[in-house]
Amino acid sequence: MSPVHMAPVPNSTVVAYRDDGPLSRAMGLLVAGQLPPLPPVLAGTFVTGVLLVLGVAGTDGLAVFAPAVTLLLAGPGSTHPHDGRFDWLVPPLLRVIEYTFVVAVGFAHELNPVLIFLLLGALAFHHYDLVYRLRQRVYAPSWLSTLGLGWDGRMMAVSLVALVGPLTFGYAVLALYLWALFGWESLTCWLAAPRSGVEEADMGTQD
C-alpha cells in the first residue's frame, strides 16, 4: 500500500491536525520542540475561557485578548512531535478554543448569526477535509496552512476586526476568503489525486 503523495508527508499526524499558522510555527522554532504541548494548551484553554466569559459579559472587551494568550501558551509547542500519551488532545482543544472564540466575539457584538455560522462552516469544512486527507494519505500542501492563516492567524484576524471594525464586514470577508481558498484547494487536490492510491489508502483505514 503506497500513500498518495500530493505534498511532503507530515512528521506527525497529530501535529498536522493542529493546523498551526506562521505565527504559531515561528514560536515553536524558538524552543526547538522541547516544550511539551498539552499543559500549555490546557492552560490556554482555561485562560481563554475566562477571557471569553468576561468579554461576553461586557468587561471592556477582554475577549479580544484571547488569541494573544492562546498563541503565547500553545504556540511554542507546535514543533514538538506530540508523541505523549495524551498529546492527541491538543488539536481538539485548539478547535474548541478557535470555534468558541469566533462564536463568542460574534454574539457579543450582536453579529448576524448567518455570518457567524458561515465562518464556522469554512473552518469545519477545512478541518474535516484535513482529517480525511490524513486518513487517506492525501497530504495538503505546506502553503495551505500559511494562506489559511492557521488557528492562530484566524483568531488574530477576528480579534483585529473586533477592535477596529466593522465586524460584519470583517466576518464576511474572512468567511468568503476561507471558503474560496479551502474549497478550491480541496477540489483541485482531490481531482488530482490518483484514484487507485486513494482507494488503497481507504481500504487500509478499514483494516
Side-chain angles (χ1 to χ4, degrees):
M1 178 175 59
S2 59
V4 180
H5 292 285
M6 300 300 294
V9 179
N11 295 326
S12 166
T13 55
V14 178
V15 174
Y17 287 142
R18 284 178 56 112
D19 191 27
D20 291 298
L23 294 174
S24 182
R25 294 198 302 268
M27 294 191 68
L29 292 175
L30 296 177
V31 297
Q34 299 302 309
L35 182 67
L38 184 57
V41 171
L42 289 173
T45 303
F46 173 76
V47 175
T48 300
V50 172
L51 290 176
L52 290 179
V53 169
L54 294 176
V56 172
T59 309
D60 298 325
L62 289 177
V64 297
F65 296 104
V69 172
T70 307
L71 178 61
L72 289 173
L73 290 171
S78 62
T79 52
H80 188 276
H82 289 61
D83 51 2
R85 183 175 182 181
F86 297 105
D87 286 349
W88 59 270
L89 288 169
V90 171
L93 286 174
L94 292 176
R95 297 293 81 76
V96 169
I97 292 174
E98 182 180 9
Y99 292 7
T100 304
F101 178 72
V102 169
V103 172
V105 171
F107 281 114
H109 290 78
E110 299 181 348
L111 198 64
N112 189 324
V114 173
L115 285 178
I116 298 174
F117 289 108
L118 185 65
L119 180 53
L120 282 180
L123 300 179
F125 169 81
H126 170 57
H127 291 135
Y128 174 80
D129 185 55
L130 179 63
V131 170
Y132 192 71
R133 285 185 194 219
L134 290 171
R135 293 184 63 186
Q136 305 300 319
R137 302 187 182 184
V138 180
Y139 305 112
S142 56
W143 54 262
L144 184 61
S145 61
T146 299
L147 293 184
L149 306 179
W151 62 266
D152 46 318
R154 292 187 294 265
M155 288 181 64
M156 286 291 187
V158 171
S159 180
L160 180 62
V161 172
L163 286 172
V164 302
L167 194 63
T168 298
F169 177 77
Y171 263 60
V173 169
L174 184 59
L176 292 175
Y177 168 73
L178 293 178
W179 268 115
L181 174 67
F182 295 146
W184 171 81
E185 195 284 326
S186 177
L187 177 63
T188 55
C189 177
W190 284 109
L191 289 176
R195 185 60 186 170
S196 59
V198 174
E199 290 175 348
E200 288 181 7
D202 192 30
M203 291 177 62
T205 61
Q206 298 175 5
D207 291 341

